[in-house]
Amino acid sequence: MTFVELKSVSLTYRLGKETTLALADGTMAIGKGEFVAVVGPSGCGKSTIMKLVTGLLPATSGEVVVAGQRVTRPIKGVGMAFQNPTLMPWRTTIDNVLLPMEIVEPHKRRFRRHRAEYVARAMALLKTVGLADFADKFPWQLSGGMQQRSNLCRALIHEPELLMLDEPFGALDAFTREELWGVMQALWLEKRFTGVLVTHDLREAVYLADTVYVMSRRPGRIVMSRHIDLPRPRTLASTFEPAFVDIVHELRDRIHQEHAA
Amino acid sequence: MITGRTREIVQLAMPWLAMALFLAIWEVVCVVFDLPEILLPRPSRVFEVFIQRIDILLAYCWDTLWTTVLGFLLAIAGGVMLGVLIGASPLVYAGLYPLLIAFNAVPKVAIVPILMIWIGVGPTPAVVTAFVISFFPIVVNVATGLATIEPEMIDVLYSLGASRFEILRKVGIPRAMPYLFASLKVAITLAFIGSVIAETVGGNRGIGFLMLSAGARNDAPTTFAGLFAIAIMGVAMYAVCALLEKRMTRWAFRGQLVS
Ligand SMILES: Nc1ncnc2c1ncn2[C@@H]1O[C@H](COP(=O)(O)OP(=O)(O)OP(=O)(O)O)[C@@H](O)[C@H]1O
Ligand SMILES: [Mg+2]
């Protein structure tokens, strides 16, 4: 069943007289519970796709459909995480993670009265990412990797049907990044939300995704969609196996073509 | 070797040492060059007068203080409201910002005579002038705090389904707090300037009035005693604001200033 569908979506940014065609033809269909990755050259419109899917930007032409509904304004209850963790420095980690509960229905209505229950839920989630001891620390008391973990918890706490990740591991060191792939995969295997991950790291894309979309240079189009049928759960060791490496090379070759073009 | 503890004591003592040095040099200069008192009274003489006339000084300090603080509090209330409006709505921003700039460019001394025509002499012009002069930095800072929220933070909240009001409450207001408190330090100093100007131009009470009338009598030590009084009140109120800032917005200092 298709959950997110882009039908020849284009987007032009307007700044006064200046116009930038960021996305020329975005067409993709993402199944419910599917995890897709979007890769492509810098500036090709990946972040733009994220904003189109969540309705933060209206499409210039074409149609975005999420859960059978045409998207015309911001859709509610989506989990989002960016490269920059955007935690609120005046809230402790646990209060940052609880933020969606104060906004998304039906939690919003119940939050005050059932706070303890929600705190327990947030603590359980923090524990799965190894942050149980840091719940009462402020974001600026955490390392970059820890902040990004909290950010992921905040995106997931309300168990969204749709999770949008825009290079969330981009700013992390290789070890932390690979560790978080594992965390992400485990969470996805457990909750089976629909996920869209933008990344520059092809190993990351192949490790996490069911389908990897490759985009052309700006103005972006989808030039390749590669189904990844490697068994789950995937391990770090499996990323060095021939089957995995072959897919990474295949994707890399396609992106090189884009750079050469 | 300077240990941490001694360094701390030295740091605490530094402002007092600097002030003592400044007063000492002043005293010496007056004595060595034998300056007439009407030109520049010796600090020791100013202190003498300060003690002698402490009653009237305290009474007039009180006048200046309450008018200043009242104007300042009104400026906080109005400034936060207008700042939030301007920072949250591009439309209000476009409409009011140029007006505010123009308003701020008007020298505040010029409005005191007008105020006197409208409301007569007394404490009211001082309150109004303190308000008018300290209003602007508060508005600008609060608006800046709101306008500089990371767009990604807003994206996260919008896609959760937050309304504009919720975004304002959850991110806008907390984020504007450090900006507000930073502006208060500037604003309180300006508020003193405002009320003293008003007292000088058209008051019948307050330190400004005291200094003006002492000046007219060529009573330089009293004028200087008034100056000292304003300086002391200014520093004290600044300290209150700085303390408040530290207390209320600990997170903005990343815990550095408060250990
Ligand atoms: N708000 C904006 N106003 C004008 N142009 C924009 C805006 N946002 C993005 N663009 C332009 O649209 C194009 C696509 O931007 P987008 O952020 O989607 O790229 P991206 O694929 O996410 O790049 P990266 O991998 O570097 O993050 C870029 O050329 C960019 O200059
Ligand atoms: Mg991007």
Side-chain angles (χ1 to χ4, degrees):
Chain A
M1 197 186 85
T2 309
F3 188 64
V4 176
E5 198 175 5
L6 273 70
K7 301 179 189 166
S8 11
V9 176
S10 79
L11 189 110
T12 307
Y13 283 107
R14 269 202 187 81
L15 245 174
K17 274 188 196 153
E18 212 177 317
T19 60
T20 314
L21 179 60
L23 188 67
D25 176 12
T27 299
M28 51 170 88
I30 305 167
K32 190 159 177 62
E34 193 186 6
F35 199 109
V36 308
V38 180
V39 296
S42 179
C44 71
K46 301 183 294 295
S47 298
T48 305
I49 287 191
M50 306 297 265
K51 290 191 178 165
L52 285 165
V53 170
T54 46
L56 291 168
L57 277 177
T60 310
S61 73
E63 202 176 47
V64 182
V65 179
V66 175
Q69 297 259 309
R70 196 178 161 170
V71 174
T72 48
R73 52 198 191 90
I75 51 180
K76 297 188 171 190
V78 180
M80 265 199 146
F82 298 94
Q83 179 169 357
N84 164 4
T86 61
L87 298 169
M88 301 176 176
W90 56 88
R91 286 179 173 230
T92 57
T93 304
I94 186 112
D95 285 333
N96 264 295
V97 171
L98 284 169
L99 174 78
M101 298 310 195
E102 300 167 22
I103 292 167
V104 180
E105 293 290 5
H107 310 298
K108 184 180 172 180
R109 229 174 309 143
R110 306 179 66 241
F111 186 73
R112 267 165 201 269
R113 266 174 301 132
H114 299 82
R115 198 185 150 89
E117 172 193 317
Y118 284 114
V119 168
R121 195 163 143 183
M123 281 307 292
L125 192 58
L126 282 172
K127 207 167 164 187
T128 61
V129 300
L131 277 183
D133 295 338
F134 292 86
D136 295 323
K137 296 264 186 293
F138 287 91
W140 35 268
Q141 296 172 306
L142 306 184
S143 72
M146 290 165 155
Q147 290 183 23
Q148 201 50 272
R149 280 166 226 240
S150 330
N151 187 19
L152 290 178
C153 288
R154 182 181 65 187
L156 283 165
I157 182 79
H158 57 295
E159 310 204 338
E161 282 188 284
L162 184 59
L163 181 69
M164 308 295 284
L165 304 168
D166 196 344
E167 300 184 43
F169 314 120
L172 304 177
D173 66 280
F175 294 112
T176 312
R177 190 183 316 160
E178 290 176 356
E179 189 193 329
L180 286 183
W181 296 351
V183 170
M184 195 70 239
Q185 176 175 248
L187 289 168
W188 179 78
L189 285 173
E190 191 195 329
K191 316 243 177 338
R192 291 287 173 167
F193 45 80
T194 308
V196 182
L197 167 75
V198 166
T199 178
H200 281 127
D201 185 336
L202 297 179
R203 276 179 69 229
E204 178 174 305
V206 176
Y207 181 100
L208 284 169
D210 297 315
T211 311
V212 177
Y213 289 93
V214 179
M215 289 180 68
S216 69
R217 286 198 307 176
R218 190 175 67 84
R221 279 169 295 109
I222 308 288
V223 290
M224 178 182 176
S225 123
R226 174 70 161 90
H227 189 67
I228 316 290
D229 44 12
L230 300 172
R232 295 203 191 246
R234 296 166 192 162
T235 60
L236 277 182
S238 76
T239 66
F240 298 105
E241 282 166 12
F244 190 101
V245 175
D246 285 348
I247 301 175
V248 171
H249 279 304
E250 191 188 328
L251 292 169
R252 176 157 293 137
D253 286 345
R254 189 63 193 82
I255 291 182
H256 273 236
Q257 264 183 16
E258 274 318 310
H259 275 286
Chain B
M1 261 305 280
I2 299 175
T3 63
R5 183 86 193 105
T6 8
R7 179 182 296 249
E8 212 172 283
I9 294 173
V10 170
Q11 212 159 51
L12 278 176
M14 269 322 271
W16 302 99
L17 287 174
M19 197 161 66
L21 188 69
F22 171 71
L23 292 176
I25 292 174
W26 178 352
E27 184 86 30
V28 169
V29 167
C30 288
V31 174
V32 169
F33 295 99
D34 195 19
L35 293 177
E37 188 174 285
I38 185 162
L39 203 64
L40 186 68
R42 286 176 291 120
S44 54
R45 174 83 184 113
V46 176
F47 281 124
E48 208 182 306
V49 173
F50 202 95
I51 304 297
Q52 269 170 15
R53 316 195 62 178
I54 191 77
D55 287 348
I56 186 146
L57 271 168
L58 276 180
Y60 280 179
C61 269
W62 172 242
D63 287 316
T64 305
L65 189 65
W66 79 256
T67 49
T68 305
V69 170
L70 186 59
F72 176 63
L73 290 177
L74 289 174
I76 295 177
V80 168
M81 267 195 287
L82 193 63
V84 166
L85 271 177
I86 288 181
S89 156
L91 213 66
V92 179
Y93 178 93
L96 286 189
Y97 210 74
L99 210 68
L100 265 174
I101 302 275
F103 194 59
N104 192 51
V106 173
K108 303 301 174 297
V109 196
I111 66 163
V112 180
I114 304 173
L115 284 174
M116 284 166 56
I117 296 171
W118 288 348
I119 44 193
V121 285
T124 324
V127 174
V128 175
T129 317
F131 166 80
V132 165
I133 204 169
S134 58
F135 181 68
F136 189 76
I138 299 178
V139 174
V140 169
N141 264 39
V142 170
T144 309
L146 284 174
T148 52
I149 303 171
E150 299 121 300
E152 282 154 352
M153 188 77 238
I154 298 181
D155 283 352
V156 166
L157 281 150
Y158 263 138
S159 46
L160 284 170
S163 63
R164 284 184 56 150
F165 178 71
E166 272 173 321
I167 292 179
L168 186 66
R169 216 182 48 170
K170 303 252 182 244
V171 204
I173 304 289
R175 218 202 108 92
M177 282 298 127
Y179 288 82
L180 168 66
F181 284 104
S183 75
L184 293 192
K185 291 188 293 188
V186 180
I188 186 65
T189 323
L190 289 176
F192 268 110
I193 295 176
S195 55
V196 172
I197 285 177
E199 289 163 358
T200 313
V201 175
N204 52 7
R205 295 189 69 90
I207 294 290
F209 172 73
L210 177 84
M211 283 168 64
L212 191 79
S213 44
R217 294 195 312 270
N218 291 338
D219 181 359
T222 304
T223 314
F224 273 83
L227 266 182
F228 279 27
I230 295 172
I232 291 168
M233 285 192 293
V235 170
M237 288 309 291
Y238 182 95
V240 169
C241 289
L243 195 73
L244 216 66
E245 181 184 16
K246 262 197 199 174
R247 279 284 162 82
M248 304 296 289
T249 56
R250 230 190 95 183
W251 60 267
F253 297 109
R254 305 283 186 265
Q256 278 165 13
L257 289 184
V258 230
S259 46

